[in-house]
mmCIF file of all heavy atoms in Angstrom:
data_model
loop_
_atom_site.group_PDB
_atom_site.id
_atom_site.type_symbol
_atom_site.label_atom_id
_atom_site.label_comp_id
_atom_site.label_asym_id
_atom_site.label_seq_id
_atom_site.Cartn_x
_atom_site.Cartn_y
_atom_site.Cartn_z
ATOM 1 N N GLU A 370 -4.921 13.439 21.348
ATOM 2 C CA GLU A 370 -4.560 12.045 20.952
ATOM 3 C C GLU A 370 -5.637 11.391 20.119
ATOM 4 O O GLU A 370 -5.386 10.852 19.056
ATOM 5 C CB GLU A 370 -4.360 11.259 22.245
ATOM 6 C CG GLU A 370 -3.954 9.835 22.017
ATOM 7 C CD GLU A 370 -4.129 9.009 23.276
ATOM 8 O OE1 GLU A 370 -4.815 9.478 24.207
ATOM 9 O OE2 GLU A 370 -3.620 7.894 23.364
ATOM 10 N N ASP A 378 -6.529 7.070 11.113
ATOM 11 C CA ASP A 378 -7.439 6.048 10.639
ATOM 12 C C ASP A 378 -8.127 6.487 9.340
ATOM 13 O O ASP A 378 -8.318 5.713 8.407
ATOM 14 C CB ASP A 378 -8.452 5.690 11.656
ATOM 15 C CG ASP A 378 -7.888 4.733 12.743
ATOM 16 O OD1 ASP A 378 -6.838 4.105 12.449
ATOM 17 O OD2 ASP A 378 -8.429 4.648 13.832
ATOM 18 N N SER A 379 -8.579 7.785 9.342
ATOM 19 C CA SER A 379 -9.315 8.248 8.178
ATOM 20 C C SER A 379 -8.390 8.210 6.938
ATOM 21 O O SER A 379 -8.810 7.795 5.895
ATOM 22 C CB SER A 379 -9.787 9.685 8.372
ATOM 23 O OG SER A 379 -10.581 9.753 9.519
ATOM 24 N N SER A 381 -5.829 6.441 6.425
ATOM 25 C CA SER A 381 -5.461 5.133 5.923
ATOM 26 C C SER A 381 -6.629 4.252 5.607
ATOM 27 O O SER A 381 -6.434 3.085 5.346
ATOM 28 C CB SER A 381 -4.502 4.445 6.915
ATOM 29 O OG SER A 381 -4.989 4.578 8.224
ATOM 30 N N SER A 382 -7.859 4.825 5.574
ATOM 31 C CA SER A 382 -8.931 4.033 5.131
ATOM 32 C C SER A 382 -9.143 4.130 3.595
ATOM 33 O O SER A 382 -10.044 3.550 3.066
ATOM 34 C CB SER A 382 -10.265 4.318 5.849
ATOM 35 O OG SER A 382 -10.350 5.590 6.277
ATOM 36 N N ALA A 394 -5.732 14.789 -8.829
ATOM 37 C CA ALA A 394 -6.668 15.220 -9.877
ATOM 38 C C ALA A 394 -7.324 16.553 -9.518
ATOM 39 O O ALA A 394 -7.545 17.358 -10.404
ATOM 40 C CB ALA A 394 -7.767 14.150 -10.054
ATOM 41 N N VAL A 395 -7.514 16.751 -8.239
ATOM 42 C CA VAL A 395 -8.161 17.991 -7.831
ATOM 43 C C VAL A 395 -7.188 19.119 -7.653
ATOM 44 O O VAL A 395 -7.381 20.242 -8.124
ATOM 45 C CB VAL A 395 -8.915 17.738 -6.506
ATOM 46 C CG1 VAL A 395 -9.399 19.082 -5.937
ATOM 47 C CG2 VAL A 395 -10.138 16.858 -6.759
ATOM 48 N N ARG A 420 4.433 6.624 17.422
ATOM 49 C CA ARG A 420 3.654 6.630 18.643
ATOM 50 C C ARG A 420 3.896 5.399 19.495
ATOM 51 O O ARG A 420 4.193 5.498 20.685
ATOM 52 C CB ARG A 420 2.192 6.728 18.253
ATOM 53 C CG ARG A 420 1.234 6.651 19.401
ATOM 54 C CD ARG A 420 -0.179 6.564 18.828
ATOM 55 N NE ARG A 420 -1.049 5.846 19.716
ATOM 56 C CZ ARG A 420 -1.517 6.358 20.800
ATOM 57 N NH1 ARG A 420 -1.228 7.628 21.136
ATOM 58 N NH2 ARG A 420 -2.291 5.646 21.594
ATOM 59 N N LEU A 479 -0.969 7.091 -15.409
ATOM 60 C CA LEU A 479 -2.359 7.348 -15.680
ATOM 61 C C LEU A 479 -2.570 8.755 -16.192
ATOM 62 O O LEU A 479 -3.677 9.144 -16.499
ATOM 63 C CB LEU A 479 -3.194 7.154 -14.375
ATOM 64 C CG LEU A 479 -3.275 5.765 -13.839
ATOM 65 C CD1 LEU A 479 -4.068 5.733 -12.545
ATOM 66 C CD2 LEU A 479 -3.921 4.850 -14.865
ATOM 67 N N TYR A 498 3.850 2.477 -23.628
ATOM 68 C CA TYR A 498 2.640 1.647 -23.645
ATOM 69 C C TYR A 498 1.746 2.048 -24.840
ATOM 70 O O TYR A 498 1.198 1.203 -25.512
ATOM 71 C CB TYR A 498 1.914 1.819 -22.317
ATOM 72 C CG TYR A 498 0.727 0.947 -22.108
ATOM 73 C CD1 TYR A 498 0.863 -0.396 -21.938
ATOM 74 C CD2 TYR A 498 -0.540 1.527 -22.079
ATOM 75 C CE1 TYR A 498 -0.211 -1.216 -21.747
ATOM 76 C CE2 TYR A 498 -1.641 0.693 -21.886
ATOM 77 C CZ TYR A 498 -1.492 -0.671 -21.684
ATOM 78 O OH TYR A 498 -2.579 -1.450 -21.504
ATOM 79 N N LEU A 515 11.644 0.639 -13.660
ATOM 80 C CA LEU A 515 10.814 0.694 -12.467
ATOM 81 C C LEU A 515 10.991 -0.637 -11.624
ATOM 82 O O LEU A 515 11.049 -0.595 -10.430
ATOM 83 C CB LEU A 515 9.343 0.815 -12.847
ATOM 84 C CG LEU A 515 8.918 2.257 -13.061
ATOM 85 C CD1 LEU A 515 7.667 2.367 -13.881
ATOM 86 C CD2 LEU A 515 8.773 2.923 -11.709
ATOM 87 N N LEU A 520 12.804 -3.192 -6.831
ATOM 88 C CA LEU A 520 13.439 -4.375 -6.306
ATOM 89 C C LEU A 520 14.657 -3.997 -5.471
ATOM 90 O O LEU A 520 14.872 -4.523 -4.351
ATOM 91 C CB LEU A 520 13.858 -5.255 -7.484
ATOM 92 C CG LEU A 520 14.438 -6.627 -7.134
ATOM 93 C CD1 LEU A 520 13.410 -7.425 -6.380
ATOM 94 C CD2 LEU A 520 14.827 -7.378 -8.413
ATOM 95 N N THR A 523 13.688 -2.496 -2.111
ATOM 96 C CA THR A 523 13.120 -3.503 -1.234
ATOM 97 C C THR A 523 14.203 -4.370 -0.638
ATOM 98 O O THR A 523 14.225 -4.613 0.551
ATOM 99 C CB THR A 523 12.127 -4.421 -1.983
ATOM 100 O OG1 THR A 523 11.154 -3.609 -2.644
ATOM 101 C CG2 THR A 523 11.419 -5.349 -1.048
ATOM 102 N N GLU A 527 15.008 -4.464 3.325
ATOM 103 C CA GLU A 527 14.841 -5.687 4.120
ATOM 104 C C GLU A 527 16.178 -5.997 4.811
ATOM 105 O O GLU A 527 16.193 -6.432 5.959
ATOM 106 C CB GLU A 527 14.326 -6.820 3.254
ATOM 107 C CG GLU A 527 12.890 -6.650 2.955
ATOM 108 C CD GLU A 527 12.273 -7.759 2.125
ATOM 109 O OE1 GLU A 527 13.106 -8.632 1.660
ATOM 110 O OE2 GLU A 527 11.069 -7.793 1.983
ATOM 111 N N ARG A 539 13.401 -13.237 11.363
ATOM 112 C CA ARG A 539 12.493 -14.375 11.389
ATOM 113 C C ARG A 539 11.064 -13.969 11.173
ATOM 114 O O ARG A 539 10.148 -14.800 11.139
ATOM 115 C CB ARG A 539 12.603 -15.083 12.749
ATOM 116 C CG ARG A 539 13.981 -15.650 13.060
ATOM 117 C CD ARG A 539 13.932 -16.498 14.253
ATOM 118 N NE ARG A 539 13.442 -15.817 15.436
ATOM 119 C CZ ARG A 539 12.326 -16.105 16.087
ATOM 120 N NH1 ARG A 539 11.531 -17.012 15.656
ATOM 121 N NH2 ARG A 539 11.973 -15.390 17.137
ATOM 122 N N PRO A 541 8.891 -11.618 8.895
ATOM 123 C CA PRO A 541 8.651 -10.637 7.861
ATOM 124 C C PRO A 541 7.377 -9.863 8.152
ATOM 125 O O PRO A 541 6.362 -10.443 8.547
ATOM 126 C CB PRO A 541 8.502 -11.451 6.592
ATOM 127 C CG PRO A 541 8.230 -12.819 7.019
ATOM 128 C CD PRO A 541 8.715 -12.998 8.406
ATOM 129 N N THR B 105 -14.402 3.321 15.823
ATOM 130 C CA THR B 105 -13.289 3.876 15.068
ATOM 131 C C THR B 105 -13.533 3.722 13.571
ATOM 132 O O THR B 105 -13.245 4.657 12.773
ATOM 133 C CB THR B 105 -11.994 3.131 15.408
ATOM 134 O OG1 THR B 105 -11.883 2.976 16.817
ATOM 135 C CG2 THR B 105 -10.761 3.852 14.928
ATOM 136 N N GLY B 112 -14.476 10.465 8.528
ATOM 137 C CA GLY B 112 -13.285 11.302 8.293
ATOM 138 C C GLY B 112 -12.826 11.241 6.867
ATOM 139 O O GLY B 112 -12.468 12.243 6.273
ATOM 140 N N ALA B 113 -12.850 10.025 6.307
ATOM 141 C CA ALA B 113 -12.402 9.882 4.945
ATOM 142 C C ALA B 113 -13.290 10.660 3.969
ATOM 143 O O ALA B 113 -12.785 11.314 3.037
ATOM 144 C CB ALA B 113 -12.381 8.368 4.551
ATOM 145 N N LEU B 120 -11.487 18.097 -0.155
ATOM 146 C CA LEU B 120 -10.640 18.067 -1.310
ATOM 147 C C LEU B 120 -11.343 18.602 -2.518
ATOM 148 O O LEU B 120 -10.844 19.454 -3.266
ATOM 149 C CB LEU B 120 -10.205 16.614 -1.526
ATOM 150 C CG LEU B 120 -8.877 16.362 -2.212
ATOM 151 C CD1 LEU B 120 -7.772 17.042 -1.431
ATOM 152 C CD2 LEU B 120 -8.593 14.902 -2.236
ATOM 153 N N PRO B 125 -9.355 24.376 -7.792
ATOM 154 C CA PRO B 125 -9.031 25.731 -8.181
ATOM 155 C C PRO B 125 -9.954 26.170 -9.297
ATOM 156 O O PRO B 125 -10.329 25.380 -10.182
ATOM 157 C CB PRO B 125 -7.578 25.632 -8.659
ATOM 158 C CG PRO B 125 -7.359 24.229 -8.995
ATOM 159 C CD PRO B 125 -8.292 23.394 -8.178
ATOM 160 N N SER B 235 8.226 -6.987 -4.588
ATOM 161 C CA SER B 235 8.634 -5.588 -4.658
ATOM 162 C C SER B 235 8.157 -4.885 -5.962
ATOM 163 O O SER B 235 7.880 -3.704 -5.921
ATOM 164 C CB SER B 235 10.123 -5.438 -4.481
ATOM 165 O OG SER B 235 10.821 -6.458 -5.177
ATOM 166 N N ILE B 240 3.224 -2.995 -13.193
ATOM 167 C CA ILE B 240 4.409 -3.255 -14.036
ATOM 168 C C ILE B 240 4.401 -4.705 -14.459
ATOM 169 O O ILE B 240 4.653 -5.045 -15.633
ATOM 170 C CB ILE B 240 5.705 -2.955 -13.235
ATOM 171 C CG1 ILE B 240 5.706 -1.514 -12.766
ATOM 172 C CG2 ILE B 240 6.918 -3.211 -14.110
ATOM 173 C CD1 ILE B 240 5.953 -0.496 -13.814
ATOM 174 N N ARG B 291 6.345 -16.294 1.335
ATOM 175 C CA ARG B 291 7.347 -15.907 2.324
ATOM 176 C C ARG B 291 6.808 -16.031 3.723
ATOM 177 O O ARG B 291 7.494 -16.537 4.633
ATOM 178 C CB ARG B 291 7.814 -14.480 2.083
ATOM 179 C CG ARG B 291 8.645 -14.343 0.826
ATOM 180 C CD ARG B 291 8.913 -12.879 0.521
ATOM 181 N NE ARG B 291 9.830 -12.340 1.450
ATOM 182 C CZ ARG B 291 10.401 -11.147 1.321
ATOM 183 N NH1 ARG B 291 10.120 -10.400 0.264
ATOM 184 N NH2 ARG B 291 11.245 -10.654 2.192
ATOM 185 N N THR B 295 8.115 -18.659 6.646
ATOM 186 C CA THR B 295 8.609 -18.220 7.984
ATOM 187 C C THR B 295 7.871 -18.902 9.070
ATOM 188 O O THR B 295 8.432 -19.466 9.993
ATOM 189 C CB THR B 295 8.514 -16.738 8.117
ATOM 190 O OG1 THR B 295 8.868 -16.126 6.903
ATOM 191 C CG2 THR B 295 9.388 -16.214 9.211
ATOM 192 N N ILE B 353 -5.253 -0.769 -17.158
ATOM 193 C CA ILE B 353 -4.287 -1.335 -18.110
ATOM 194 C C ILE B 353 -4.963 -2.345 -19.020
ATOM 195 O O ILE B 353 -4.749 -2.354 -20.232
ATOM 196 C CB ILE B 353 -3.110 -1.948 -17.376
ATOM 197 C CG1 ILE B 353 -2.230 -0.837 -16.797
ATOM 198 C CG2 ILE B 353 -2.260 -2.802 -18.327
ATOM 199 C CD1 ILE B 353 -1.147 -1.334 -15.913
ATOM 200 N N TYR B 364 -11.632 6.064 -12.022
ATOM 201 C CA TYR B 364 -10.706 6.744 -12.904
ATOM 202 C C TYR B 364 -11.447 7.647 -13.900
ATOM 203 O O TYR B 364 -11.110 8.822 -14.099
ATOM 204 C CB TYR B 364 -9.882 5.721 -13.658
ATOM 205 C CG TYR B 364 -8.865 6.304 -14.615
ATOM 206 C CD1 TYR B 364 -7.832 7.105 -14.170
ATOM 207 C CD2 TYR B 364 -8.978 6.043 -15.961
ATOM 208 C CE1 TYR B 364 -6.931 7.633 -15.060
ATOM 209 C CE2 TYR B 364 -8.083 6.569 -16.850
ATOM 210 C CZ TYR B 364 -7.051 7.356 -16.414
ATOM 211 O OH TYR B 364 -6.130 7.890 -17.285
ATOM 212 N N LEU B 367 -12.708 10.659 -12.168
ATOM 213 C CA LEU B 367 -11.640 11.601 -11.949
ATOM 214 C C LEU B 367 -11.322 12.379 -13.190
ATOM 215 O O LEU B 367 -11.165 13.570 -13.175
ATOM 216 C CB LEU B 367 -10.393 10.847 -11.532
ATOM 217 C CG LEU B 367 -10.161 10.567 -10.058
ATOM 218 C CD1 LEU B 367 -8.909 9.792 -9.839
ATOM 219 C CD2 LEU B 367 -10.087 11.926 -9.334
ATOM 220 N N ARG B 370 -13.838 14.769 -13.914
ATOM 221 C CA ARG B 370 -14.170 15.610 -12.735
ATOM 222 C C ARG B 370 -15.620 15.467 -12.341
ATOM 223 O O ARG B 370 -16.288 16.463 -12.009
ATOM 224 C CB ARG B 370 -13.805 17.063 -13.023
ATOM 225 C CG ARG B 370 -12.388 17.256 -13.444
ATOM 226 C CD ARG B 370 -11.936 18.600 -13.142
ATOM 227 N NE ARG B 370 -10.516 18.581 -12.886
ATOM 228 C CZ ARG B 370 -9.836 19.439 -12.164
ATOM 229 N NH1 ARG B 370 -10.507 20.393 -11.539
ATOM 230 N NH2 ARG B 370 -8.557 19.349 -12.029
ATOM 231 N N PHE B 386 -12.898 -1.197 2.358
ATOM 232 C CA PHE B 386 -11.584 -1.226 2.934
ATOM 233 C C PHE B 386 -11.667 -1.323 4.458
ATOM 234 O O PHE B 386 -11.020 -2.184 5.088
ATOM 235 C CB PHE B 386 -10.860 0.056 2.519
ATOM 236 C CG PHE B 386 -9.380 -0.006 2.508
ATOM 237 C CD1 PHE B 386 -8.727 -0.836 1.628
ATOM 238 C CD2 PHE B 386 -8.653 0.793 3.362
ATOM 239 C CE1 PHE B 386 -7.347 -0.876 1.605
ATOM 240 C CE2 PHE B 386 -7.271 0.757 3.349
ATOM 241 C CZ PHE B 386 -6.617 -0.095 2.446
ATOM 242 N N VAL B 387 -12.472 -0.457 5.044
ATOM 243 C CA VAL B 387 -12.585 -0.399 6.498
ATOM 244 C C VAL B 387 -13.202 -1.658 7.067
ATOM 245 O O VAL B 387 -12.765 -2.219 8.027
ATOM 246 C CB VAL B 387 -13.421 0.881 6.892
ATOM 247 C CG1 VAL B 387 -13.752 0.824 8.401
ATOM 248 C CG2 VAL B 387 -12.595 2.112 6.621
ATOM 249 N N ARG B 409 -4.428 -0.853 23.962
ATOM 250 C CA ARG B 409 -3.013 -0.567 24.048
ATOM 251 C C ARG B 409 -2.321 -1.577 24.897
ATOM 252 O O ARG B 409 -2.812 -1.913 25.974
ATOM 253 C CB ARG B 409 -2.794 0.787 24.690
ATOM 254 C CG ARG B 409 -2.666 1.883 23.668
ATOM 255 C CD ARG B 409 -2.225 3.125 24.398
ATOM 256 N NE ARG B 409 -3.250 4.179 24.200
ATOM 257 C CZ ARG B 409 -3.476 5.063 25.136
ATOM 258 N NH1 ARG B 409 -2.825 5.059 26.300
ATOM 259 N NH2 ARG B 409 -4.355 6.001 24.932
#
Side-chain angles (χ1 to χ4, degrees):
Chain A
E370 180 196 17
D378 281 340
S379 303
S381 45
S382 29
V395 169
R420 173 187 152 78
L479 293 178
Y498 186 70
L515 276 161
L520 186 61
T523 306
E527 287 182 350
R539 297 192 301 115
Chain B
T105 315
L120 209 56
S235 43
I240 303 285
R291 291 173 71 170
T295 320
I353 288 172
Y364 179 63
L367 270 179
R370 305 205 152 205
F386 205 65
V387 168
R409 266 191 242 147

